[in-house]
Amino acid sequence: MINRQLLNPESIVVIGGSNNVHKPGGAVVRNLLSGGYGGMLRVVNPKEDEVQGIKAFHDAKELPPTDLAILVVAAKYCPQYVELLAAEKEVRAFIIISAGFSEETHEGALLEQQILDSCERYGCALIGPNCIGLLTRNHHSVFTKPIPQLSPKGVDFISGSGATAVFILESAVTKGLQFNSVWSVGNGKQIGIETVLEYMDEHFDPERDSLVKLLYIENIADPDKLLFHATSLIRKGCRIAAIKAGSSAAGSRAASSHTGAIASSDSAVEALFRKAGIVRCFSREELTTVGCIFSLTWNGVGGEALRVAIVTHAGGPGVMLTDALSKGGIQVPPLTGPLAEELKSKLLPGSSVANPIDILATGTAEHLGIAIDYCEQHFPEIDAIMVIFGTPGLVKIYQVYDVLDKKIRECSKPIFPILPSVSTAGPEVQEFLHRGHVNFSDEVTLATALTQIMKTPAPAEQNVVINGVDVPKIRRIIDGIEGSGYLAPDLVHQLLAAAGIPTVPEFVSDKKEELLAFAEKTGFPVVAKVVGPVHKSDVGGVALNIRSREVLGAEFDRMMQIPDATAVMVQKMIRGTELFIGAKYEERFGHVVLCGLGGIFVEVLKDVSSGLAPLSYEEAYSMIRSLRSYKILKGTRGQKGINERKYAEIIVRLSTLLRFATEIKEMDINPLLADEREVTAVDARILVEKQ
């Protein structure tokens, strides 16, 4: 629970506060004082009469009633302090800095549970234990530095790691990113990242609250809560970016199906973020850069086209920025025609206006202003302006940054300042940041972060698409299955048919004559596949392009000798681009659906996109179009592309099937064969687990 005593306490006591500001207890008191806390600040220290100018209590029993207690004492003492303060001193919020709890030992976990029990009994909010504290505009209850510049329109930052939070703040401060609040939830025994988002969502005020949330997550305890409140906040106008660390270890779990094994926890995170509309970041620099982009007055999100003008006085960075933007699908359109020539005439001889607009190393503040004005007023094909301006240290460039400051405030198009000389022009850059601006000191990092934002879709609708899916039939099939394991081909075929997923005509039998009769009726060529072994190709259990009875008969005899073979499946031979759709059930997340190129490519290239079932058509299209191989699916070198609509439709139908058949724990359709007309499932495996 999050309450008034935690957010806006009228009185705070630091248990373990000291005069030594190089220790956490002293540093917390220092930060509270230097942060201008306006309420009553108290300290408990049995050995000191005064702590940093504050009269100290020797025993917590001497305290008057207090709103918030910050504990900076050994873990073993924390439960008794919490019980005493909550029961006798009316404390209703606790921030426990101390470590040594569930993150270390079983005994520590028991201490942590005692603390939680006391907080629940008395209705207290609990941040921590094992955290750096809570930083708001009301009180700086942290023991660390740096303390960033705080502003009502700064970002809200929530972190599951205290040390990482500090490093992210370091990265943010150098860029000029301002904060509204910093939450270090530590072990998150009561208040985790999802709980903070829930509070921000349920108490959201668009006029007063920050519209940007940055998250550092090590464990998603409640994916449904995170999805619901992140989606809700984004729909209310917020923007959210997050790092999810620690996915690789979980992602290496073994699975019985090699294609299903790709659906690791990392895929689940990717799918959750895609569904919610959260921009996923992979480093501290990327997260803080995304935060800076979000802080600009700019609405370019959700896959909208973006056309950028680059104004620079250094050719190399302009070229690198152009390359990085183009690689990310962001346009740097050429500027031509009379207006471009007019702009060129106003710049120094030798300047270029083709885009990048290079005003040369000798270009002045006036030249910079002219170039920006033309991009703002005369080039409608430009949506945003990126300005690169540093210095070799020969002159001061305050005047240049004065012009940049003025243009940022005046222009309707967003301006991204790239000021690389953070050392040589340190004072000038710092003055620019103190005016409330941000700085993207590295142009490629900016382009990478902007690409992540542009390719993040808007939050998906949560409705289940039923159209064309026979849910009652799906349930009858699932309910009729006894035991667990891979389903027989006829049951797989029935489930796909009930979901409305087209399949190639097939017949399964352990009798040669029946298979020969089916092949002749269907027409050669056909495909033969062994039934029984899970990985058919690995044991030589697949034969393609069989064109006669004799060859089919010989293949039947051979396949029935394969260990574990129970029958042979014959299918009509069809051709097309091989696609893949798979799914795996992830604990707490539900079914993660994957798509990509099929056949061996899904294993070799691992070019797959993930989505969290159930999926909407918009999500399915987003998954398909985010594939690196999407150009192949669209058609290249004279070859026609696939029917993208039908591929998306199958992805949606599969996700609906999984929504109503949670007993399916693993599934892949590989390959689907696609052309410009049809997309047809050729081979599928379904693993069911029943209680």
Side-chain angles (χ1 to χ4, degrees):
M1 61 175 294
I2 296 175
N3 55 24
R4 190 272 306 167
Q5 289 88 343
L6 178 66
L7 296 178
N8 191 16
E10 295 177 1
S11 52
I12 299 176
V13 59
V14 181
I15 308 294
S18 73
N19 285 306
N20 188 344
V21 296
H22 300 294
K23 291 185 176 181
V28 170
V29 176
R30 175 202 63 201
N31 287 343
L32 283 164
L33 291 171
S34 61
Y37 172 62
M40 179 61 68
L41 181 58
R42 302 173 177 126
V43 175
V44 171
N45 186 313
K47 298 179 181 179
E48 300 282 353
D49 294 328
E50 187 176 279
V51 170
Q52 299 183 46
I54 302 170
K55 178 182 177 299
F57 294 86
H58 292 164
D59 192 319
K61 293 180 180 179
E62 303 170 1
L63 285 168
T66 305
D67 279 349
L68 167 65
I70 304 169
L71 273 57
V72 201
V73 294
K76 63 182 179 180
Y77 300 121
C78 288
Q80 63 195 59
Y81 270 119
V82 171
E83 178 66 26
L84 168 69
L85 293 168
E88 300 181 17
K89 304 302 175 182
E90 301 178 20
V91 172
R92 291 298 176 263
F94 290 91
I95 298 173
I96 301 183
I97 305 293
S98 317
F101 293 91
S102 62
E103 80 281 1
E104 292 188 5
T105 65
H106 174 67
E107 291 74 17
L110 295 177
L111 295 175
E112 191 170 288
Q113 187 60 47
Q114 290 179 44
I115 291 169
L116 179 63
D117 291 342
S118 294
C119 287
E120 297 294 313
R121 186 161 52 250
Y122 295 103
C124 303
L126 171 63
I127 294 287
N130 185 33
C131 68
I132 65 169
L134 173 63
L135 175 65
T136 73
R137 289 179 290 114
N138 294 325
H139 59 103
H140 297 184
S141 295
V142 295
F143 72 90
T144 54
K145 287 185 175 181
I147 303 294
Q149 187 171 349
L150 298 172
S151 163
K153 295 305 178 183
V155 306
D156 290 317
F157 173 43
I158 315 166
S159 176
S161 165
T164 307
V166 172
F167 301 149
I168 289 173
L169 289 174
E170 291 273 8
S171 171
V173 166
T174 61
K175 295 179 177 68
L177 184 60
Q178 299 181 6
F179 288 78
N180 178 55
S181 66
V182 177
W183 299 69
S184 165
V185 300
N187 294 355
K189 189 64 177 178
Q190 182 199 75
I191 298 173
I193 290 173
E194 299 93 335
T195 311
V196 179
L197 277 182
E198 178 183 38
Y199 182 88
M200 291 179 175
D201 179 25
E202 293 179 348
H203 296 81
F204 182 70
D205 182 341
E207 298 299 321
R208 295 186 303 164
D209 293 345
S210 169
L211 298 180
V212 180
K213 320 292 179 187
L214 303 182
L215 315 176
Y216 174 80
I217 307 171
E218 291 185 343
N219 176 50
I220 301 178
D222 192 337
D224 286 341
K225 181 184 281 190
L226 178 63
L227 173 62
F228 180 85
H229 292 293
T231 299
S232 177
L233 281 165
I234 292 171
R235 286 186 173 142
K236 290 173 180 176
C238 292
R239 296 169 179 174
I240 302 178
I243 296 173
K244 170 62 179 75
S247 295
S248 58
S252 65
R253 290 197 306 263
S256 57
S257 169
H258 51 279
T259 47
I262 296 172
S264 64
S265 288
D266 193 60
S267 295
V269 171
E270 187 74 28
L272 176 66
F273 284 12
R274 180 192 299 276
K275 200 173 194 71
I278 297 172
V279 177
R280 189 173 189 190
C281 301
F282 296 90
S283 71
R284 301 191 304 271
E285 285 298 305
E286 190 174 5
L287 182 69
T288 54
T289 301
V290 169
C292 288
I293 295 172
F294 282 164
S295 72
L296 300 179
T297 304
W298 175 61
N299 295 317
V301 295
E304 300 169 10
L306 183 67
R307 302 164 300 177
V308 172
I310 300 169
V311 181
T312 179
H313 71 156
V319 173
M320 289 191 288
L321 179 56
T322 302
D323 287 343
L325 291 171
S326 299
K327 182 180 178 182
I330 298 168
Q331 300 175 35
V332 184
L335 300 175
T336 58
L339 286 171
E341 291 301 318
E342 182 178 293
L343 168 61
K344 188 173 183 179
S345 70
K346 296 177 181 293
L347 302 177
L348 294 174
S351 297
S352 170
V353 297
N355 201 11
I357 300 169
D358 189 348
I359 65 174
L360 303 180
T362 49
T364 65
E366 181 183 3
H367 295 128
L368 175 63
I370 291 170
I372 293 174
D373 285 343
Y374 267 76
C375 293
E376 164 76 6
Q377 300 167 14
H378 301 305
F379 297 139
E381 65 270 37
I382 295 301
D383 303 311
I385 307 162
M386 295 185 175
V387 175
I388 305 173
F389 211 107
T391 176
L394 299 177
V395 295
K396 298 295 182 182
I397 52 175
Y398 287 106
Q399 188 178 6
V400 173
Y401 292 169
D402 285 343
V403 169
L404 187 55
D405 167 59
K406 181 174 182 287
K407 297 303 179 185
I408 288 174
R409 298 180 190 281
E410 290 178 352
C411 290
S412 61
K413 296 177 182 179
I415 297 177
F416 297 77
I418 303 167
L419 316 180
S421 302
V422 293
S423 176
T424 308
E428 296 99 307
V429 172
Q430 285 303 311
E431 181 176 309
F432 179 78
L433 297 182
H434 287 154
R435 296 182 183 184
H437 301 301
V438 295
N439 174 30
F440 306 95
S441 60
D442 182 84
E443 60 279 349
V444 175
T445 302
L446 167 60
T448 302
L450 189 56
T451 298
Q452 282 294 100
I453 293 172
M454 298 304 296
K455 75 178 188 180
T456 301
E461 295 296 330
Q462 303 297 317
N463 299 328
V464 181
V465 180
I466 302 293
N467 186 33
V469 179
D470 191 339
V471 175
K473 186 175 181 180
I474 289 171
R475 284 313 315 168
R476 286 196 299 271
I477 296 169
I478 293 294
D479 292 339
I481 296 170
E482 295 182 0
S484 301
Y486 283 97
L487 298 185
D490 62 319
L491 288 175
V492 173
H493 192 86
Q494 290 177 41
L495 281 172
L496 294 181
I501 297 174
T503 56
V504 66
E506 65 182 35
F507 185 73
V508 178
S509 178
D510 59 357
K511 296 178 175 59
K512 184 190 299 186
E513 289 303 321
E514 291 181 356
L515 290 174
L516 292 173
F518 172 80
E520 288 184 331
K521 180 181 178 182
T522 303
F524 290 97
V526 296
V527 178
K529 301 177 182 179
V530 69
V531 176
V534 173
H535 304 299
K536 301 175 182 65
S537 298
D538 295 349
V539 296
V542 178
L544 305 175
N545 205 26
I546 299 171
R547 294 183 173 273
S548 68
R549 282 177 56 91
E550 292 73 24
V551 175
L552 178 58
E555 287 293 348
F556 174 86
D557 293 336
R558 180 183 67 81
M559 289 183 184
M560 289 302 291
Q561 300 303 312
I562 294 173
D564 300 322
T566 60
V568 172
M569 174 194 296
V570 173
Q571 295 175 320
K572 175 68 178 175
M573 180 81 177
I574 62 174
R575 299 185 182 279
T577 301
E578 291 190 346
L579 305 176
F580 158 79
I581 300 177
K584 189 170 184 291
Y585 185 82
E586 286 281 344
E587 287 295 330
R588 296 178 291 131
F589 287 83
H591 284 102
V592 179
V593 179
L594 305 165
C595 74
L597 280 180
I600 63 170
F601 294 105
V602 69
E603 300 171 49
V604 176
L605 300 180
K606 291 183 170 59
D607 177 22
V608 294
S609 289
S610 58
L612 202 60
L615 295 167
S616 65
Y617 281 97
E618 290 76 13
E619 288 178 278
Y621 281 118
S622 174
M623 290 168 63
I624 295 168
R625 292 167 184 171
S626 67
L627 292 166
R628 295 193 302 274
S629 54
Y630 179 60
K631 289 183 178 179
I632 296 175
L633 305 185
K634 290 289 289 182
T636 56
R637 298 200 172 186
Q639 293 186 347
K640 293 183 178 179
I642 69 162
N643 190 319
E644 188 176 337
R645 179 185 63 80
K646 290 201 171 182
Y647 190 24
E649 185 176 275
I650 291 175
I651 293 171
V652 172
R653 289 173 182 268
L654 177 67
S655 78
T656 303
L657 163 66
L658 297 168
R659 171 66 178 79
F660 292 100
T662 55
E663 295 89 345
I664 296 175
K665 301 304 178 187
E666 197 172 300
M667 175 178 186
D668 65 56
I669 306 176
N670 186 16
L672 295 97
L673 289 179
D675 57 25
E676 69 274 16
R677 296 181 301 276
E678 301 293 337
V679 179
T680 305
V682 174
D683 196 8
R685 292 177 296 184
I686 297 177
L687 176 64
V688 167
E689 292 181 6
K690 302 194 78 174
Q691 298 297 329

